[in-house]
Amino acid sequence: MPPSDVLLNPQIRAVLLKHLSPGTIPYGDPDQDGVALRHENQKTLARLAQVCRAISEPSLAVLWRSIDDFRFLLRPFKSYNIHSFMFTDVVTEDEWSRFCDYARRVRELRLSNVRKVHASTWTVLTRWCIREPLLPHLERLVDFEVSAMSACYAILLSPTIRHFGLRIDSDANDTIVCMGIQIAQPLFSQLESLFVYDKRYNYNNRKKEDVRFWEMSHLRELRVQHEVALNQKMVDALAASPHLHSLYINIMDMESMNGAKEAVPFPELRKLELVGTLGNINSFLEAAAPPCVEEVSLHASAEGDSGAKDATALLRTILSRLAPSTLRSIRVECTKRTHQDVRIGPEATLEQLATFPDLTSIVLTFADTLPFAVADDCLSSYSGTWPQLTAFEIHATPKDVSRRDDYARRGRGYGYGGFHVISSPDNHDRREPEPEPAPTIATVAAFASAHPLLKRFVLPTFDLTAVPDIASVPHLNHGLRTLKFVGLANGVPLLPFVLTFDLLFPRLDLATVETGLKPGSSPDRAQQLLAMLLTVQAGRVGAYRALRPDDGSDGAASSHGEMIKLIRPEQPKEKGRAIGDGRRSPSRDSLSPGGTPYGEVINRPYI
């Protein structure tokens, strides 16, 4: 296809713009890496809009669809000073007409850094916005702040808004809050999603809720970021919401529930995220456990629980209240806020999760607890338990495993060998038996082989004491993309394990290794292993493909591959091409005698 016709092809143009699209502006604090990527894509779209008229209008529509900083919105005005954040000259009719042409394209806006905008700027904009809002087609407004300046932001409240993020300033008094809520009140009846974060609230300051979110039965998504004291009226109202699809709520306190349930709670809820103590989370699910939830995230602390046994029992009870037939994704993060020795290991949690056969994602994080290693027998016992599993992650702190010797020397304890020494206010010299050994590479390979769809595999550590025999390692050729572990002990030879991982998982995404090894830094052994693995895979498939593999595993790679197919369709393969004629190097499987049948991997001597 001639280069001049590439951008005129509607299919190619759609794929290209989809690849460069900044995406939906999320609620909550922005991710800095995501913001940087959005800005790079926006720069590319701005240049693309200047290429030709055929692609100018579609590029501008994508470029102006999402604005993640209000200050960027005013840059089309020549009379606006981007350094003082105010107008320094009179706005002309032509300037306003040009701005309106861009403003009609805006669908999403984040009011970040809006406090830096001078008050006179809002006065000028308000004078021009007499008949319609500043952004007449705005659908998503994030970080609308209730403060002394809320009245100035009223020109942004378009009647087309369906997704609204509200923050109440920590310094706002009751009068300011009441005024700000009244300004935004007309939007509440038409919203599909609502984000509320009252910064005035904390654990020791329980005030009434100014935004009565539980009464908005028309919402499909609700996120209450601040701590909330729930009572039975609130829970019953939320559970009766006929359209609620996604719920995030931070439970500070939970009133005891009385009386039988009159109807099925949360009939349409598919995504649930709860934050609070294990006891409060258990009380919420006991009062209104959703029967059709598919994705659950629990951010729990063990505060108020008497010990490890009680905390583990509570967690098992919480998981038992979920519906095994519908649950597909589970994320559990357990922390502790007290000085008690409260430890929740993965064994009891995985045992309960084994009753959910259709899980596709398991992510367990045990933070602020003594470090531990997942036992080899524990991992091997769950091979094949979840046939559709795509992500299996177990995280534990401290993340810096190189400090484990320091933990043992100070008497804090560590779970990687020897005795487990625990220091606590009640017992300064209590010893426990040596923990079971960490998973071996053979167990990891068997687990991955039993879960062919697995893409992410994260464990606290591996047992790399036994150097593998490379001749006995099978060509597993697994499609795993992410493999992470905390660290390796000094003295372990890395090259045999590099070759082993390359044989087992030849499609790993090692792009993060490039940024992880900075000049002058001293990487740990795990980073050294991954850097060597990157070198091996880059030598086989090429450096660019090793860092940016184009196998359709993510959105960027998939869009790129789809665009290449449209520009350069596959041609019939010709026979008799010589080596070095530009064709791709033969794969390792094609070089092996007959390949390795996938079903025979388990029967190989190594695993």
Side-chain angles (χ1 to χ4, degrees):
M1 181 179 294
S4 58
D5 296 337
V6 170
L7 296 180
L8 299 179
N9 187 301
Q11 291 178 301
I12 297 177
R13 190 168 58 201
V15 173
L16 178 62
L17 295 177
K18 180 181 178 181
H19 178 74
L20 295 175
S21 175
T24 300
I25 297 177
Y27 291 126
D29 296 330
D31 176 44
Q32 296 303 320
D33 293 337
V35 171
L37 179 60
R38 291 170 61 87
H39 290 174
E40 288 298 323
N41 288 346
Q42 288 169 342
K43 291 178 182 178
T44 304
L45 286 168
R47 299 187 187 101
L48 186 62
Q50 302 175 22
V51 172
C52 64
R53 292 184 178 181
I55 201 170
S56 177
E57 181 62 28
S59 300
L60 288 175
V62 176
L63 173 63
W64 282 87
R65 179 179 179 83
S66 300
I67 306 296
D68 53 10
D69 193 324
F70 180 79
R71 296 173 299 174
F72 298 160
L73 187 67
L74 303 179
R75 290 193 175 183
F77 290 105
K78 296 180 180 179
S79 56
Y80 180 76
N81 190 308
I82 62 175
H83 302 291
S84 60
F85 309 114
M86 60 183 298
F87 288 100
T88 57
D89 201 353
V90 177
V91 177
T92 64
E93 289 281 354
D94 292 340
E95 276 188 301
W96 183 253
S97 177
R98 181 169 177 263
F99 170 78
C100 289
D101 185 49
Y102 293 129
R104 292 188 181 94
R105 297 181 170 95
V106 179
R107 300 295 185 271
E108 302 179 2
L109 173 66
R110 180 190 291 275
L111 288 178
S112 58
N113 300 315
V114 71
R115 289 191 176 188
K116 297 181 179 179
V117 179
H118 197 273
S120 62
T121 301
W122 297 104
T123 304
V124 174
L125 294 175
T126 303
R127 289 176 179 175
W128 284 95
C129 298
I130 299 176
R131 296 182 177 86
E132 63 178 6
L134 184 67
L135 306 173
H137 302 296
L138 187 64
E139 299 174 359
R140 188 181 186 91
L141 181 59
V142 179
D143 288 349
F144 181 90
E145 188 176 63
V146 175
S147 64
M149 294 290 292
S150 297
C152 298
Y153 312 150
I155 59 175
L156 299 172
L157 299 181
S158 171
T160 58
I161 292 177
R162 296 294 179 267
H163 311 276
F164 190 52
L166 182 69
R167 292 176 182 263
I168 300 179
D169 186 38
S170 57
D171 298 329
N173 55 41
D174 293 341
T175 303
I176 292 177
V177 172
C178 182
M179 180 187 65
I181 298 300
Q182 287 181 352
I183 293 173
Q185 188 71 36
L187 295 178
F188 291 160
S189 61
Q190 63 191 30
L191 295 179
E192 295 180 10
S193 69
L194 174 66
F195 172 91
V196 183
Y197 184 20
D198 194 338
K199 296 183 179 181
R200 302 173 302 160
Y201 286 14
N202 55 57
Y203 189 81
N204 298 317
N205 185 16
R206 304 185 182 185
K207 300 180 179 180
K208 66 179 181 66
E209 294 289 338
D210 292 284
V211 181
R212 303 177 68 85
F213 55 84
W214 62 92
E215 296 180 352
M216 302 180 190
S217 58
H218 55 280
L219 291 177
R220 287 184 51 83
E221 179 184 358
L222 173 63
R223 292 182 62 88
V224 184
Q225 195 77 13
H226 60 273
E227 293 180 324
V228 177
L230 292 176
N231 54 41
Q232 185 161 1
K233 180 181 178 180
M234 292 180 178
V235 175
D236 291 344
L238 288 173
S241 300
H243 307 293
L244 193 59
H245 188 274
S246 175
L247 174 64
Y248 175 105
I249 193 161
N250 189 343
I251 308 173
M252 177 184 66
D253 194 11
M254 188 77 185
E255 182 182 279
S256 59
M257 301 294 161
N258 299 316
K261 303 179 182 66
E262 298 180 357
V264 177
F266 298 110
E268 294 296 328
L269 193 66
R270 296 297 182 269
K271 182 178 180 180
L272 177 64
E273 192 164 358
L274 299 176
V275 182
T277 64
L278 288 172
N280 287 336
I281 291 177
N282 180 54
S283 298
F284 180 89
L285 292 176
E286 182 182 9
C292 303
V293 67
E294 299 175 357
E295 182 179 347
V296 174
S297 297
L298 306 175
H299 305 272
S301 67
E303 183 180 12
D305 303 314
S306 58
K309 292 183 179 180
D310 293 341
T312 302
L314 264 178
L315 183 57
R316 290 172 63 95
T317 302
I318 289 171
L319 295 176
S320 67
R321 299 188 187 281
L322 304 175
S325 60
T326 60
L327 191 64
R328 298 294 181 268
S329 174
I330 182 71
R331 177 183 295 269
V332 179
E333 179 180 347
C334 289
T335 64
K336 71 179 184 68
R337 298 181 184 177
T338 64
H339 296 289
Q340 299 173 355
D341 176 23
V342 179
R343 295 170 298 154
I344 306 176
E347 291 81 4
T349 307
L350 291 175
E351 182 180 351
Q352 186 64 41
L353 293 180
T355 61
F356 301 88
D358 297 326
L359 283 175
T360 60
S361 176
I362 298 175
V363 180
L364 307 178
T365 302
F366 301 92
D368 296 335
T369 59
L370 297 174
F372 61 88
V374 180
D376 183 78
D377 293 340
C378 175
L379 184 64
S380 61
S381 63
Y382 295 106
S383 295
T385 303
W386 306 283
Q388 304 300 318
L389 194 66
T390 60
F392 185 83
E393 304 180 32
I394 298 181
H395 305 267
T397 55
K399 297 180 180 179
D400 187 4
V401 177
S402 62
R403 294 175 55 194
R404 63 183 182 270
D405 295 333
D406 180 60
Y407 269 80
R409 185 169 58 253
R410 297 184 184 182
R412 291 184 176 180
Y414 63 99
Y416 299 90
F419 283 96
H420 195 121
V421 183
I422 302 175
S423 291
S424 65
D426 301 328
N427 191 340
H428 293 278
D429 191 16
R430 177 160 58 89
R431 293 175 177 268
E432 291 186 354
E434 180 180 354
E436 297 182 14
T440 62
I441 303 301
T443 301
V444 171
F447 186 89
S449 178
H451 300 91
L453 302 180
L454 193 65
K455 297 298 181 183
R456 292 183 58 84
F457 198 4
V458 179
L459 289 176
T461 187
F462 293 151
D463 181 8
L464 300 184
T465 55
V467 179
D469 180 12
I470 301 300
S472 64
V473 178
H475 293 247
L476 189 58
N477 199 25
H478 195 278
L480 189 71
R481 303 282 291 124
T482 301
L483 178 67
K484 291 184 179 181
F485 44 92
V486 178
L488 305 177
N490 293 327
V492 174
L494 297 183
L495 183 58
F497 294 102
V498 169
L499 299 177
T500 299
F501 283 130
D502 185 49
L503 289 171
L504 296 175
F505 311 118
R507 297 182 178 87
L508 290 176
D509 182 4
L510 302 172
T512 56
V513 178
E514 182 182 16
T515 59
L517 298 178
K518 298 180 180 179
S521 63
S522 54
D524 57 21
R525 299 283 283 172
Q527 281 291 327
Q528 290 178 350
L529 188 149
L530 293 176
M532 294 174 64
L533 184 58
L534 171 62
T535 304
V536 171
Q537 294 194 359
R540 185 180 70 253
V541 300
Y544 177 79
R545 289 184 57 217
L547 289 173
R548 298 289 186 269
D550 184 16
D551 61 352
S553 58
D554 53 33
S558 179
S559 299
H560 179 266
E562 186 178 351
M563 184 166 55
I564 292 298
K565 291 179 182 178
L566 291 170
I567 298 176
R568 188 175 59 243
E570 294 184 2
Q571 301 294 332
K573 295 183 179 180
E574 302 178 8
K575 298 182 180 180
R577 299 293 294 270
I579 297 177
D581 60 355
R583 284 185 175 273
R584 187 177 298 174
S585 301
S587 65
R588 182 171 48 232
D589 292 340
S590 65
L591 296 177
S592 60
T596 301
Y598 190 79
E600 298 180 5
V601 171
I602 298 298
N603 299 324
R604 293 296 297 269
Y606 179 65
I607 59 173

